Amino acid sequence: MNQVRAWTLDEGAERARASYRAAFGAEPDGVWAAPGRVNLIGEHTDYNGGLCLPIALAHRTYVALSAVEAADVTLVSRQEAGTWSAALADVGPGAVDGWPAYAAGVAWALGQDGHAVGGFRAAVDSCVPYGAGLSSSAALESAFAIALDDVFGLGLGADDEGRQALAAACIRAENEVAGASTGGMDQAASLLSRPGGALLLDLRDGSRTPIPFDLAAAGLALLVIDTRAPHRLVDGQYGQRRATCEAAAARLGVPTLREVAPAELPSALAALDDVRLPDGSTVPAELVRRRVRHVVTEIGRVEEFVAALTSGAARDVGPLMDASHASLRDDYEVSCPELDVAVEAARAAGALGARMTGGGFGGSAIALVAADQVEDVSESVRAAFVGRGWAEPGTLSATGDGAAARVLDDAGE
Ligand code: ADP
Ligand code: MG
């Protein structure tokens, strides 16, 4: 089985440091690391003012970094070829291509917020799978955010409020410099998670609530399955779902679908008609109703999921995961064959619940399994993929890890 192992903090720190030494012939000021994340439940709810519930992974991106005299940025990554450098003043929206936009973009965004960030050089290494819906992009941004905060003495990493400001800078880097759209869940998970906890994010009021997440105490484990399916998140699909939700909310006279309580769902559905999207296309009423039903029921499932975790009834989240998957597959239509097969194979092998996670059309699935069945379930999913002639999926186990932090003080410590 293709198990994607998480490096220990020491191992990751040593790798990034060795990389830095090889690239720059010196020791870094330190090494910082930030986790990828997986969303337990609450999918396609962010742009509807809804709820989601990510946990941080033990899989992290490591950055060995030093401040330099010149106002320049020089970057290397073990995951990408070549050395990139630019004057700090030249970093900004539309000015940086490729992966350095996520890294240098954070320095730009902090500068925009009035923080004094000078030149730096850095070496990156990571065990967060790329493009698997586990947010290697936010892990990269967050690792730079916490490193720059520390090296330039911004003092933001010390508390949640400051970390919220770092997350905002990461979001700007991704949206404005890398030109990718992100709702902010990933950066909050990477910068604000606590070990043994999930983070309930409320996109209506911006609040964050730590929720206990201790599956081991219940004899359970969370298996993450990276389907390695090619990312097919056709921009048009995401934009169309979003526009449909916005048009439906407008029709119902509410700012977002969050305002539709589950109990009001039948009357809200009855009030919906065909909607016309800004691109001129028409979405028939029947389809609008299914999209709205997903969003409203999914937000309700996040609340039930949180209630189960909070009352120590971790097993009860299994059926909620199953229902979430069915809703995403049938009502929201964002699943794909690889995600459906991963979920079905996991359940057939004894998982208590399973669902796709992330935006869909590829990426990863998660399964709730008895701790002693992780290997059996992984093997069943692998066999189901190989039997269809698909590439082997990668598997990870997730426990709810801590947020971005410094992992090596300086040379040799
Ligand atoms: P995801 O966040 O789901 O993994 P994205 O497409 O949002 O997928 O982000 C992946 C991109 O982030 C990569 O194509 C690359 O540009 C950048 N990236 C992530 N991790 C690294 C890394 N370790 N080194 C260099 N670039 C990285
Ligand atoms: Mg990403």
Side-chain angles (χ1 to χ4, degrees):
M1 190 74 204
N2 253 320
Q3 181 146 21
V4 186
R5 192 176 63 84
W7 300 337
T8 64
L9 297 181
D10 286 350
E11 197 181 354
E14 205 41 57
R15 291 178 75 117
R17 179 184 169 205
S19 222
Y20 183 97
R21 241 195 256 125
F24 304 114
E27 291 292 342
D29 288 350
V31 181
W32 294 259
R37 63 96 189 96
V38 69
N39 189 25
L40 298 175
I41 196 152
E43 228 61 81
H44 286 278
T45 58
D46 55 350
Y47 50 84
N48 289 298
L51 301 168
C52 59
L53 189 67
I55 56 170
L57 298 174
H59 297 72
R60 287 167 188 269
T61 294
Y62 294 80
V63 175
L65 183 144
S66 295
V68 297
E69 293 279 311
D72 296 329
V73 184
T74 308
L75 305 172
V76 295
S77 167
R78 279 268 173 207
Q79 282 69 50
E80 299 278 348
T83 301
W84 181 87
S85 59
L88 196 50
D90 292 339
V91 173
V96 186
D97 285 332
W99 77 271
Y102 297 92
V106 175
W108 169 81
L110 288 168
Q112 293 292 300
D113 291 339
H115 298 293
V117 173
F120 58 92
R121 58 191 191 190
V124 175
D125 202 351
S126 178
C127 61
V128 182
Y130 251 51
L134 303 176
S135 211
S136 67
S137 58
L140 180 62
E141 293 148 14
S142 303
F144 271 89
I146 203 79
L148 295 172
D149 175 67
D150 206 350
V151 163
F152 293 106
L154 310 185
L156 297 170
D159 57 29
D160 279 4
E161 201 185 321
R163 281 170 175 260
Q164 181 70 27
L166 292 177
C170 293
I171 294 165
R172 276 193 86 177
E174 183 150 345
N175 284 333
E176 298 178 41
V177 185
S181 62
T182 176
M185 160 171 61
D186 310 350
Q187 293 78 7
S190 192
L191 283 157
L192 291 148
S193 289
R194 292 196 166 71
L199 203 57
L200 175 64
L201 300 176
D202 184 327
L203 284 306
R204 176 167 59 185
D205 63 13
S207 65
R208 309 167 308 267
T209 313
I211 303 296
F213 181 70
D214 184 5
L215 293 184
L220 300 172
L222 190 75
L223 178 68
V224 181
I225 303 153
D226 169 10
T227 63
R228 300 195 170 152
H231 243 311
R232 306 185 194 93
L233 182 51
V234 210
D235 280 350
Q237 293 289 325
Y238 175 86
Q240 207 195 45
R241 296 297 183 285
R242 195 173 172 146
T244 303
C245 290
E246 284 163 4
R251 176 74 184 77
L252 296 170
V254 290
T256 65
L257 293 178
R258 174 69 182 281
E259 306 309 321
V260 180
E264 296 162 3
L265 183 58
S267 58
L269 295 182
L272 289 165
D273 297 312
D274 295 0
V275 302
R276 234 179 127 71
L277 302 186
D279 69 1
S281 61
T282 298
V283 184
E286 182 272 336
L287 205 53
V288 178
R289 293 192 182 111
R290 285 198 276 133
R291 305 298 192 236
V292 170
R293 185 167 60 187
H294 165 71
V295 172
V296 174
T297 59
E298 182 77 354
I299 293 170
R301 282 185 289 270
V302 179
E303 286 170 337
E304 290 181 57
F305 201 109
V306 166
L309 287 181
T310 309
S311 64
R315 286 180 167 263
D316 293 354
V317 308
L320 295 169
M321 292 168 74
D322 290 343
S324 172
H325 187 77
S327 179
L328 287 157
R329 181 192 58 207
D330 303 334
D331 277 352
Y332 221 62
E333 296 180 281
V334 293
S335 189
C336 65
E338 291 87 348
L339 288 167
D340 291 341
V341 165
V343 161
E344 280 151 26
R347 279 191 211 132
L352 301 171
R355 60 181 289 269
M356 55 163 277
T357 179
F361 303 109
S364 297
I366 53 176
L368 182 72
V369 289
D372 59 3
Q373 284 197 331
V374 171
E375 293 204 353
D376 288 353
V377 173
S378 302
E379 176 49 31
S380 296
V381 175
R382 190 196 68 85
F385 272 54
V386 171
R388 285 171 174 77
W390 297 344
E392 278 198 25
T395 53
L396 293 67
S397 56
T399 51
D401 232 86
R406 187 169 190 148
V407 292
L408 183 76
D409 279 344
D410 54 34
E413 277 178 47

